[in-house]
Every structure is written in structure tokens, then in C-alpha cells.
Amino acid sequence: MTASAESNSFSNHSGSTHEPIAPLAPGLYVPTVAFFTPEDTIDEETTARHAKRLVEAGVTGIVTHGSNGEAVHLDHAERQLVNRITRSTIDAAGQSGMPLIVGCGSQSTRETVQLCREAAESGGTHALVLPPAYYGSLLPTALIVNHFKAVADASPIPLLIYNFPGACSGLDLSSDTILALAEHPNIVGVKLTCGNTGKLARVVAGTRGTAFRTFGGSADFAIQTLAVGGHGVIAGLANVAPKACAEVMRLWREGRTEEATSLQGIVARGDWAAIKGGFVSVKAALRRYHSYGGDPRRPCAFLEGRALEAQMEEFSELAEAEKKLKGT
């Protein structure tokens, strides 16, 4: 990308008035699932119950409206309601300093900024932003960069870039693009759900010594993330097994590599079930192994019969490991 291409941004961030931002703490962040009543409204009680369980499990932060959170199934008011419930639950648990990262991706720059402002108003501390990709053939890298800079200029809360080709019609931001965006004072991190650990290593190396944070986007490569200096993971599997996901990283950081890699294998096998089944499988596992959850919003639905039993069996080894850790 040329310098002239980058200069055509919607607004020039060089005049940004954003104050220096305290870096996000390294660790485990959990992108929560959404919960609905039988009447298809937000299940406020279960939303709070789930957030409380995660806080008590010792997670570093919570993410609402990530790819696990059915954000595309929610209207703006529902998104803000989930944020407010989650924030108040965190605060009531005595963790008012815990980050609440809110998914704010949208196809237009205008709505993305609107979502960031609503996230801030409803208790969010950071925004997680997917690149727009619906009109992918009309969006060269320069326009994607312009989009992120414009959102970062206007957002009252700092941004994390969310690189997830599977949710963006295959759009995969390069390490060069991410490092260019990392220079913006209001862009403070990235979630790499692409699974490209070489890219992760390049971003870590290119931002070393700064407040920029690089997170793996899946629990199945937590060790790989830490081994190159990454700061943790934002992992949907942690809805089901937060203690096991955190324990992998704790063991690795303590130098107990054999134990860490053994548990990483169990987590990776469980995560494969979640990756194949998407957020629906995570909600099904919550229902099976934690006795709460509720249905996904239509048109999505749980598997049934033998297919569901086979899917749940893939989580059983992880569920047993989580149960053992809970008892320690």
C-alpha cells in the first residue's frame, strides 16, 4: 500500500485528541453468547448469570457481540441492553476495572461509529471492529484502512481490529495493514481469528514496546500465541470452559510446558467441536454441561438426535477437565 493511498482517509488521525490509553491486561477474554427467552427477547437473568460465572472463574475481560454473540441477530437496543447487564454484573462482582469489549462491526463507517458510541454509553470500555466486507470487490486495502482510521477518530472508546476472514467473505488483513493501523493512537489491539501464527508473530514484533495488544482469536492456539510474545486469547470456547482455557496459559507462563501442552491438546480438541459447530454448538454445550443457555435466534437451531449427541460427546473430555479444575 502506498503512502498516497493511506492519505485518502475519511479524516486525518494526526489531529486526534485521544488521551493515552492504559494497555489491556494480558490474559483470557471471553466473547459471550447471547441468551433469549422463549418469547425471543433478551434473557436478562441468564445474561447476568453467565457474566457472573465468567467473572468468578477469573477471566481477564468479557466481550459482547463478538462472532459468538449473535450480534447480527440483535437490534441496537438489544445490543445496548446486553452491554448494560454485563457491565452492571461485572461491577456488582467487585470488578469495576475489568474491560468490557463490545463488538461494533458494521458495513458502513457511519453505523460503525454509531455502534462505538452506543457501546461507550452502555458500559463498554473498548470496541472490537470487523472490517466491512459485503462489498469486498469495491473495497481495496486503502479504503479498509480509511474506514478503521475514521472510526478510531470518532469513537469515544479505543478500538481492537478483528481479523476473521470466515465472517468477512474471506477478507484477511495482512500484517502490514495491521501494523499500519496500530500507529493510530485509538487503535490498541487486534484479535487474530485467522489462525495465522506467522502473522501474529510479525504483529507482536512490530508493536513490541508499545501499548498495542495482540490476541489469538481461538483457544486452540493459546500456547502458540504466548510463545511469540502475544498477550493472550479472545476465545469463544471459554464460555464452556473458562478455567481450562486460562490454565493452559498459566501453566505455560510458569514454565510447566509439558502440562501446558497436554491441556492445550484437550482444549484444542474441544475447540474443534466449537469451530465446526459455531456459536450454536457452544450454546448447546452450555445447556448440556452447565444446565442453562436457551435456543439460538432463528433461523439458527440446535442439532437433534444422534447428531447432537455426537457433537456433545466432542466436548466431554474438555467438560471433565473443567470440572476437575473447578474443584481445585
Side-chain angles (χ1 to χ4, degrees):
M1 182 178 4
T2 65
S4 60
E6 287 199 37
S7 68
N8 294 324
S9 59
F10 292 111
S11 63
N12 183 358
H13 78 265
S14 62
S16 173
T17 59
H18 290 291
E19 297 296 324
I21 300 156
L24 283 165
L28 173 66
Y29 292 76
V30 188
T32 58
V33 293
F35 301 100
F36 304 102
T37 68
E39 293 74 36
D40 200 26
T41 61
I42 297 295
D43 185 339
E44 299 184 31
E45 181 180 349
T46 304
T47 300
R49 174 185 176 183
H50 185 59
K52 184 173 185 288
R53 174 177 156 254
L54 296 177
V55 172
E56 290 176 347
V59 305
T60 308
I62 291 178
V63 181
T64 55
H65 316 316
S67 55
N68 268 277
E70 294 187 69
V72 296
H73 290 167
L74 306 180
D75 61 36
H76 283 236
E78 288 177 321
R79 289 187 184 207
Q80 292 174 78
L81 176 59
V82 170
N83 296 340
R84 286 195 297 271
I85 294 167
T86 305
R87 180 77 264 166
S88 63
T89 302
I90 294 170
D91 293 349
Q95 298 293 328
S96 59
M98 179 179 286
L100 175 59
I101 303 172
V102 179
C104 293
S106 182
Q107 295 306 309
S108 72
T109 304
R110 180 181 183 275
E111 187 179 27
T112 306
V113 170
Q114 180 184 359
L115 288 169
C116 290
R117 289 172 176 163
E118 291 172 353
E121 292 167 1
S122 54
T125 60
H126 297 74
L128 180 66
V129 179
L130 284 164
Y134 185 86
Y135 294 113
S137 64
L138 304 178
L139 293 172
T141 300
L143 291 184
I144 298 293
V145 169
N146 291 349
H147 168 79
F148 274 103
K149 288 182 177 180
V151 173
D153 284 342
S155 174
I157 53 178
L159 270 57
L160 284 80
I161 304 160
Y162 188 5
N163 190 56
F164 186 12
C168 293
S169 304
L171 175 61
D172 190 3
L173 302 178
S174 71
S175 54
D176 291 339
T177 300
I178 294 166
L179 288 170
L181 289 172
E183 296 178 4
H184 192 291
N186 207 35
I187 299 178
V188 300
V190 64
K191 176 186 180 185
L192 294 172
T193 308
C194 54
N196 186 331
T197 53
K199 179 189 299 183
L200 193 152
R202 290 190 294 275
V203 173
V204 169
T207 56
R208 186 167 284 118
T210 74
F212 192 85
R213 294 293 180 249
T214 303
F215 296 100
S218 183
D220 63 353
F221 60 102
I223 285 178
Q224 296 93 316
T225 297
L226 298 180
V228 297
H231 302 95
V233 293
I234 302 175
L237 186 68
N239 283 281
V240 179
K243 287 185 175 293
C245 292
E247 183 73 356
V248 170
M249 294 189 289
R250 185 184 73 84
L251 292 170
W252 179 263
R253 285 173 173 144
E254 291 181 359
R256 297 160 65 180
T257 56
E258 187 173 343
E259 293 171 83
T261 53
S262 176
L263 183 56
Q264 176 74 93
I266 294 172
V267 167
R269 286 190 286 272
D271 209 15
W272 183 230
I275 291 167
K276 290 185 293 182
F279 78 88
V280 175
S281 67
V282 174
K283 294 184 85 167
L286 278 175
R287 185 176 63 174
R288 174 64 57 88
Y289 294 108
H290 297 284
S291 302
Y292 69 91
D295 292 335
R297 182 164 269 179
R298 290 181 294 180
C300 294
F302 291 127
L303 297 178
E304 297 180 351
R306 292 181 180 178
L308 176 62
E309 292 307 313
Q311 184 182 69
M312 291 301 95
E313 179 59 28
E314 292 189 71
F315 285 101
S316 62
E317 180 188 29
L318 176 65
E320 185 61 29
E322 182 74 7
K323 184 178 179 180
K324 289 178 180 178
L325 286 167
K326 187 177 180 179
T328 59

